[in-house]
């Protein structure tokens, strides 16, 4: 179904604190969207039920991280007046929708989802048996997206298979039951380094178990230590005067992701942009210490307002819970309305809205 309104839905699993990879890959873009005034509705879903699909034996972890995630959101400057933050398990319509959509998806199709495939391997489900809940979470994600009538879904590129799956469900539902669901579109950051920020050790991804993250809640000292202690530069760049490589050099990957020309004016005025700095490094004569210092300055500029907002919200946790609770009320209305439309289309609307949802 076509829709004139611009409705955004995105979400995260509450499984841990958010890091710089999350910030540059999605949170920053969410704040920008929020402040652009271009969107009719922005919804952010704390996907606790999805997180339980591979953490069902540790619900305590999910419970704790719901509030951590909310704090991360508020700290980066998401404004509850402008975005609606809500919790998946408080929205029962999502589960009803999931159930109807499972009829429209084959197990063979789900088995081909590359993200799920990789996760199955990583979690060891291939050996110990694959829980049905985990296997079918892309269907539940389709329910999340369609329940909000979202046509814009900002995600990382590992989520593209989920959006593809959702689009197939929407197409099939609308074909069988009549035009009902809104067709979503994924939006991913254009900048490669922003899309896939490696860990400080240069490994493919920031991950808690590798200890290569910079968390949004880290203090200055921790950030400094991570960069000075763990970031490799170019192993061939032994003396400052040696020519250096910027490709595959994590410091420069991070600069690709984070630095702007304004940062040069502020902290490193001998260059006017990153290309000039890179040329100097390649020619030789630019030391790694200077590059790291520049990066630390930039990250501090980004992280310090995030830290002070966090402090403020941490001292007012009750309000954070209230924000989620009112987000849920609003989202319940939206998602129940979609559920009713779906039941309508499927001709299983035996009762009116209030007695049927
Ligand atoms: N699968 C997403 C992740 O792991 C989280 C998520 C759940 C989501 N529901 C969503 C993302 C709906 C976008 C839209 O990050």
């Amino acid at each position: 179904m076509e829709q004139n309104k611009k409705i955004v839905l995105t979400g995260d699993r509450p499984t841990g604190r958010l890091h710089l990879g999350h910030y540059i890959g999605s949170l920053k873009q969410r704040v920008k969207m929020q402040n652009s005034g271009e969107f009719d509705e922005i919804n952010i879903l704390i996907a606790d039920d999805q997180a339980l699909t591979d953490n069902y034996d540790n619900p305590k972890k999910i419970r704790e991280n719901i509030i951590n995630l909310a704090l991360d959101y508020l700290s980066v400057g998401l404004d509850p007046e402008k975005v609606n933050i809500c919790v998946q398990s408080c929205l029962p319509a999502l589960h009803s929708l999931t159930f109807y959509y499972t009829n429209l998806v084959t197990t063979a199709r789900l088995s081909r989802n590359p993200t799920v495939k990789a996760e199955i391997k990583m979690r060891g489900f291939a050996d110990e048996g694959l829980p049905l809940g985990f296997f079918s979470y892309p269907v539940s994600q389709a329910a999340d997206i369609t329940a909000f009538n979202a046509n814009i879904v900002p995600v990382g590129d590992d989520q593209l298979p989920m959006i593809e799956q959702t689009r197939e469900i929407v197409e099939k539902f609308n074909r069988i039951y009549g035009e009902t669901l809104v067709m979503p579109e994924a939006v991913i950051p254009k900048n490669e380094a922003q899309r896939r920020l490696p860990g400080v050790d240069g490994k493919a991804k920031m991950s808690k178990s590798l200890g290569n993250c910079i968390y949004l809640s880290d203090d200055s000292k921790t950030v400094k230590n991570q960069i000075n202690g763990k970031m490799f530069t170019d192993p061939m760049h032994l003396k400052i005067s040696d020519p250096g490589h910027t490709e595959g050099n994590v410091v420069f990957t991070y600069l690709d992701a984070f630095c702007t020309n304004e940062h040069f004016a502020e902290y490193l005025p001998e260059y006017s942009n990153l290309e000039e700095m890179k040329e100097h490094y390649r020619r030789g004569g630019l030391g790694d210490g200077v590059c790291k210092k520049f990066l630390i300055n930039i990250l501090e500029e980004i992280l310090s307002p995030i830290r002070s907002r966090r402090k403020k919200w941490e001292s007012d946790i009750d309000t954070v819970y209230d924000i989620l609770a009112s987000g849920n009320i609003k989202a319940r209305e939206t998602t129940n309305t979609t559920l009713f439309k779906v039941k309508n289309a499927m001709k299983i609307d035996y009762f009116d809205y209030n007695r049927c949802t």
Side-chain angles (χ1 to χ4, degrees):
M1 207 173 67
E2 286 293 322
Q3 179 179 246
N4 304 329
K5 279 189 172 175
K6 286 183 165 178
I7 299 182
V8 177
L9 173 80
T10 188
D12 303 278
R13 298 180 192 182
T15 52
R17 292 182 295 152
L18 299 186
H19 51 57
L20 274 180
H22 297 114
Y23 176 77
I24 201 66
S26 73
L27 297 170
K28 189 178 169 194
Q29 192 186 16
R30 293 182 200 176
V31 176
K32 200 165 152 203
M33 283 179 140
Q34 153 194 288
N35 294 334
S36 73
E38 271 179 42
F39 299 90
D40 295 282
E41 233 181 77
I42 300 179
N43 300 284
I44 301 183
L45 183 71
I46 297 185
D48 60 333
D49 285 332
Q50 185 177 115
L52 283 166
T53 64
D54 59 346
N55 289 278
Y56 56 86
D57 51 354
N58 194 2
K60 188 166 161 272
K61 167 176 155 191
I62 306 307
R63 187 187 176 103
E64 288 166 2
N65 280 307
I66 287 176
I67 197 73
N68 285 338
L69 189 54
L71 279 170
D72 277 325
Y73 288 161
L74 296 168
S75 305
V76 297
L78 287 169
D79 174 356
E81 299 280 324
K82 297 184 184 152
V83 301
N84 198 51
I85 306 175
C86 54
V87 181
Q88 191 178 29
S89 64
C90 301
L91 307 172
L94 299 181
H95 302 303
S96 302
L97 291 173
T98 302
F99 192 69
Y100 299 130
Y101 296 169
T102 53
N103 294 327
L104 309 178
V105 183
T106 65
T107 55
R109 172 65 183 86
L110 280 175
S111 311
R112 285 197 300 271
N113 185 312
T115 301
V116 175
K117 261 192 191 162
E119 284 173 310
I120 288 172
K121 232 180 166 171
M122 202 166 74
R123 307 271 186 279
F125 288 149
D127 309 320
E128 52 179 73
L130 178 58
L132 185 55
F134 183 81
F135 183 58
S136 60
Y137 90 74
V139 183
S140 135
Q141 194 157 327
D144 301 341
I145 294 168
T146 54
F148 286 86
N149 306 306
N151 42 7
I152 301 159
V153 189
V155 283
D157 48 8
D158 63 324
Q159 296 297 305
L160 290 177
M162 310 307 159
I163 314 301
E164 203 41 55
Q165 178 71 79
T166 305
R167 291 175 60 88
E168 287 173 29
I169 290 172
V170 168
E171 193 279 322
K172 195 160 179 188
F173 188 100
N174 288 348
R175 181 157 43 81
I176 298 174
Y177 304 112
E179 281 295 311
T180 312
L181 302 174
V182 174
M183 189 60 87
E185 205 91 47
V187 182
I188 56 173
K190 289 188 201 83
N191 178 319
E192 168 79 20
Q194 295 184 348
R195 234 176 18 231
R196 293 186 160 272
L197 189 75
V200 287
D201 57 357
K203 295 241 168 69
K205 240 183 163 179
M206 285 199 170
S207 110
K208 190 177 171 189
S209 55
L210 295 174
N212 62 359
C213 300
I214 293 176
Y215 292 103
L216 300 179
S217 45
D218 280 344
D219 60 21
S220 313
K221 204 171 150 220
T222 312
V223 174
K224 228 175 169 167
N225 287 344
Q226 285 290 73
I227 292 174
N228 285 333
K230 293 206 181 131
M231 240 181 211
F232 291 104
T233 50
D234 174 6
M236 309 297 281
H237 188 238
L238 296 174
K239 287 194 296 249
I240 292 184
S241 54
D242 287 340
H245 294 88
T246 51
E247 291 293 316
N249 181 327
V250 202
V251 178
F252 282 97
T253 311
Y254 273 55
L255 289 175
D256 277 332
F258 292 99
C259 99
T260 62
N261 295 349
E262 288 75 50
H263 289 135
F264 280 98
E266 177 79 23
Y267 305 109
L268 207 54
E270 44 277 53
Y271 312 104
S272 52
N273 58 47
L274 186 55
E275 214 25 65
E276 279 181 29
M277 180 185 178
K278 283 183 175 175
E279 270 167 28
H280 192 186
Y281 190 85
R282 289 192 207 109
R283 262 199 325 270
L286 173 57
D288 289 324
V290 174
C291 303
K292 285 190 173 182
K293 178 94 198 302
F294 181 47
L295 177 60
I296 291 170
N297 281 331
I298 294 171
L299 295 184
E300 277 306 303
E301 185 179 311
I302 294 170
L303 290 171
S304 93
I306 297 180
R307 288 185 199 117
S308 31
R309 273 190 229 104
R310 176 183 304 273
K311 238 199 198 122
K312 172 181 152 292
W313 287 109
E314 272 174 348
S315 68
D316 193 8
I317 286 289
D318 287 348
T319 306
V320 180
Y321 278 105
D322 286 345
I323 288 168
L324 297 182
S326 38
N328 288 341
I329 292 174
K330 200 164 161 222
R332 213 169 289 135
E333 170 98 31
T334 313
T335 53
N336 277 345
T337 303
T338 303
L339 174 60
F340 191 60
K341 271 191 209 147
V342 158
K343 287 188 165 185
N344 230 241
M346 294 175 71
K347 310 267 190 293
I348 55 169
D349 53 337
Y350 314 119
F351 304 100
D352 60 24
Y353 176 83
N354 285 320
R355 289 179 296 167
C356 195
T357 54

